[in-house]
Amino acid sequence: MTSLKVIGVGLGRTGTRSLQAALEELGFGPGYDMLRAFHNPHLYHLFQKLHEDEEDTSSLLQLLHGFSSTLSYPGCLFYEQLMEWNPDAKVILTVRDSPDLWVTSAQETIFSGNKKQSWSAWKIKRFMFSYMMASYVYWVMKIMVVVHGVDPNDPKTDLAQMYTDWNNRVIETVPAE
């Protein structure tokens, strides 16, 4: 299926870029993450397919073809499938020192829509976000809503709880070595 040696299951903003650089230096690369996705616009349509048909794994296989590791989004969202396909892969959960530190970082970057603001400012930002960003980011965000059960960019979402729930889910579902 895939030939992943490392499956990073930490959410974005938990040191995944640093880990990816270290893994690539150690020979566990290339690594797939959102930045790699950005540089391959010819594959953007696969993110829509991942969202619309979670039973069709061919899109995920195409995205990860030729990569030895995956970190952060979108791979972490599919870690259970990736573990099944790559039973010998090492699974690494990266975390921040506290949920609050993660929230601060996430709200400044990947989930800036979560910041408290007026309803109209939030709606304008969401409109601009959905029409101006790369299409793959739009679909990854929609996949996140399905996986997390909440919209990380909605100001009503408790990001600290989402982060804690994710880490607990990973700890409960990834077998200890």
Side-chain angles (χ1 to χ4, degrees), residues 150-167:
V150 294
D151 181 351
N153 279 299
D154 185 335
K156 294 177 281 191
T157 296
D158 182 344
L159 285 180
Q161 188 62 54
M162 185 189 92
Y163 171 81
T164 300
D165 290 347
W166 177 261
N167 291 341

Side-chain angles (χ1 to χ4, degrees), residues 63-78:
L63 287 170
L64 298 177
H65 179 74
F67 290 92
S68 296
S69 59
T70 181
L71 292 113
S72 186
Y73 300 113
C76 69
L77 300 172
F78 301 97

Side-chain angles (χ1 to χ4, degrees), residues 91-108:
V91 179
I92 300 175
L93 173 62
T94 51
V95 298
R96 293 292 283 238
D97 288 339
S98 74
D100 290 335
L101 288 174
W102 178 80
V103 168
T104 299
S105 178
Q107 284 180 328
E108 293 300 320

Side-chain angles (χ1 to χ4, degrees), residues 1-4 29-32 61-69:
M1 290 279 183
T2 64
S3 56
L4 294 176
Y32 189 81
L61 290 171
Q62 288 178 57
L63 287 170
L64 298 177
H65 179 74
F67 290 92
S68 296
S69 59

